[in-house]
Amino acid sequence: MSSPFLWGVASSAFQIEGALDEDGRGPSVWDVFSERPGAVRDGHSPALACDHYHRWAEDVELLDRLGVNAYRFSLAWPRVVPTGRGAVNGAGLDFYDHLVDSLLARGIAPVPTLFHWDLPLALEEAGGWSERDTAHAFAEYAAAAADRLGDRVDRWITLNEPLVHTTYGHALGVHAPGRILEVPEVMRVAHHMLLAHGLAAGELRSRGLEVLLTNNYSPVSPATGSEADTAAAHAYDTLHNRLFTDPVLTGAYPDLSAFGVAEVPGVREGDLKAVAGSADGLGINYYNPTVATAPDEGSGLPFGFGEVAGAPVTAFGWPVVPEGLGRTIDLLRGRHGDALPPLYVTENGCSYEDRVSPGGRIADPERIAYLEGHVAEVEAARERGADVRGYFVWTLTDNFEWAEGYHQRFGLVHVDRATQARTPKDSFSWYRDLVAARTASADA
Ligand code: NOJ
């Protein structure tokens, strides 16, 4: 029997857990970055987040009510290996062990991500992703996690959106660790992350486990047909849709000459071999398409950004273009053909201001429309022959949206910041009904 299509929701440790000092968790780069004045909008603190570390059982009940058959969450590396490398913290693993058992007891497949941006601070202090050793430390951590949970969890995501962690964290300085490096050094960071994925994939596969890599994808169009805009779109596509995908599927980096990089620094013999073919599935995080323009003078980048014309925008200002998800899937299929492994939409969702009615009901018709449009795109792509095996809404509960703090609410469930009370929004019921209908027709 083939496994059922996964209908799920996704979250990440740092965005929901809180309890940053509990049960032996070590500090992460985000713990300290978020304390930098100005780093997080209005100085919002991640210390409590959704208090999921204490309220996880309630959150699993919500998942049960939602009826999903899969839940994507992340393990906090600094909970499992507090100093990044070396001693494993059993108490940290216990937390995920209980979570996994509780999910399985409800027929929900756990889909853990090993790295969702919360690098142990000790590793950053030793050079972080600029150091090759960090890749080895990641593989050791992956092995420890798999040794504990691999008897019950068969599908693992290594990294979440390594491009965002690389660029926002190491080029723009707007995410942890807040570094601003020159382009070649940014590429070194990228390479070490890819190597980390490849080495961890080896560990997971040697234990008979399935390996996914999750990237964010954005189909890109030039603002006009001009040569300069077209070149900009090409450069952006290379960075966004190829840098962390081509090496995994083809064993080679794309041409990075638009970035002034002839050779990616830090690549040693055998590295690309460890990375090639290292994914049994690709996770797609899709939020919106991109329009590229020729760069502003002196920007130092080979592209600029134009406006996606005619599209409504979310509270985050992101254009709503469901067809972009179908385009993304087609782009990957067209580009990689038979080398493309099965696809999973590991994140898709939107942030909107809540409208709480006097009775406490939270109407979010825009989110329902957003999700409806995107699910339809996934289903249409499957009909065109795409091997898409899952769809995960970002996210279950409104949570800590990185540099935006708690300003962006992406949840199907509203979280009252003062009381932590969880209130399912209208989109929660809508998704519950959709999942029920789809899983019933799959069973029929
Ligand atoms: C991608 C990231 O993986 C997740 O952490 C973030 O909250 C969502 N996108 C929304 O920005």
Side-chain angles (χ1 to χ4, degrees):
M1 207 186 84
S2 67
S3 25
F5 188 84
L6 301 181
W7 290 101
V9 288
S11 71
S12 92
F14 194 77
Q15 295 180 268
I16 62 171
E17 285 181 358
L20 301 182
D21 300 321
E22 272 178 63
D23 296 333
R25 178 187 181 279
S28 83
V29 288
W30 265 99
D31 298 32
V32 293
F33 179 75
S34 60
E35 283 178 0
R36 276 196 199 172
V40 176
R41 196 167 149 200
D42 291 337
H44 285 176
S45 162
L48 188 58
C50 300
D51 197 25
H52 172 77
Y53 193 73
H54 301 113
R55 295 170 196 257
W56 64 272
E58 186 185 344
D59 291 340
V60 171
E61 282 312 315
L62 284 166
L63 293 170
D64 196 30
R65 276 171 62 192
L66 191 56
V68 289
N69 61 7
Y71 175 50
R72 173 178 179 235
F73 58 95
S74 80
L75 270 62
W77 183 352
R79 242 184 239 298
V80 177
V81 190
T83 52
R85 198 157 198 190
V88 173
N89 175 30
L93 277 171
D94 288 346
F95 175 72
Y96 301 108
D97 206 312
H98 297 147
L99 177 66
V100 160
D101 281 345
S102 168
L103 292 167
L104 290 172
R106 286 160 182 79
I108 302 170
V111 183
T113 302
L114 285 161
F115 182 67
H116 202 123
W117 308 350
D118 44 0
L119 187 77
L121 186 62
L123 291 180
E124 177 63 20
E125 286 170 349
W129 288 111
S130 297
E131 289 297 320
R132 190 176 171 89
D133 250 9
T134 301
H136 289 285
F138 180 70
E140 290 168 19
Y141 149 60
D147 282 341
R148 173 68 90 88
L149 304 174
D151 57 337
R152 284 152 291 156
V153 176
D154 48 17
R155 193 182 282 111
W156 294 71
I157 299 171
T158 53
L159 310 177
N160 175 71
E161 297 193 356
L163 178 73
V164 173
H165 188 65
T166 299
T167 53
Y168 283 39
H170 301 81
L172 305 171
V174 296
H175 275 190
R179 292 201 267 147
I180 300 177
L181 302 173
E182 297 292 326
V183 174
E185 287 311 303
V186 173
M187 294 297 175
R188 184 192 303 278
V189 164
H191 178 64
H192 290 152
M193 292 198 76
L194 264 171
L195 180 63
H197 157 79
L199 297 175
E203 294 291 346
L204 295 165
R205 282 178 165 176
S206 72
R207 289 164 176 78
L209 305 172
E210 217 175 282
V211 180
L212 272 59
L213 170 67
T214 280
N215 285 304
N216 54 318
Y217 293 98
S218 182
V220 49
S221 324
T224 70
S226 76
E227 225 172 274
D229 288 353
T230 305
H234 184 77
Y236 189 77
D237 179 53
T238 302
L239 182 69
H240 211 89
N241 301 320
R242 306 191 77 145
L243 178 62
F244 283 95
T245 302
D246 285 19
V248 171
L249 301 185
T250 70
Y253 278 105
D255 174 8
L256 295 167
S257 52
F259 298 87
V261 174
E263 236 172 87
V264 175
V267 180
R268 294 195 191 161
E269 211 185 313
D271 284 5
L272 287 169
K273 233 177 153 187
V275 167
S278 58
D280 305 306
L282 271 191
I284 296 176
N285 290 357
Y286 171 78
Y287 288 90
N288 53 258
T290 300
V291 169
T293 62
D296 293 336
E297 220 165 295
S299 81
L301 285 171
F303 50 76
F305 296 103
E307 212 181 295
V308 177
V313 294
T314 68
F316 218 146
W318 295 355
V320 179
V321 186
E323 310 79 64
L325 179 50
R327 254 179 86 196
T328 297
I329 294 168
D330 292 346
L331 174 83
L332 289 169
R333 292 183 72 199
R335 185 167 281 167
H336 299 290
D338 289 344
L340 191 69
L343 304 174
Y344 296 80
V345 177
T346 41
E347 282 184 34
N348 177 236
C350 50
S351 102
Y352 285 107
E353 299 291 337
D354 281 327
R355 287 197 303 274
V356 186
S357 69
R361 176 178 155 203
I362 298 163
D364 56 346
E366 303 94 338
R367 177 170 293 101
I368 294 174
Y370 181 102
L371 297 175
E372 198 163 36
H374 288 77
V375 166
E377 284 292 322
V378 172
E379 295 186 327
R382 291 182 81 199
E383 287 190 0
R384 291 194 294 277
D387 186 3
V388 186
R389 301 195 179 178
Y391 174 84
F392 295 75
V393 173
W394 183 269
T395 181
L396 181 66
T397 48
D398 292 337
N399 60 36
F400 182 77
E401 178 57 28
W402 309 112
E404 286 287 303
Y406 300 102
H407 284 290
Q408 308 296 341
R409 291 181 173 272
F410 278 88
L412 298 176
V413 176
H414 174 268
V415 177
D416 182 303
R417 300 262 55 103
T419 64
Q420 289 291 335
R422 274 96 160 118
T423 308
K425 305 177 189 177
D426 282 0
S427 55
F428 181 96
S429 317
W430 175 84
Y431 193 50
R432 180 198 60 207
D433 293 349
L434 175 98
V435 171
R438 294 301 193 272
T439 48
S441 58
D443 287 345

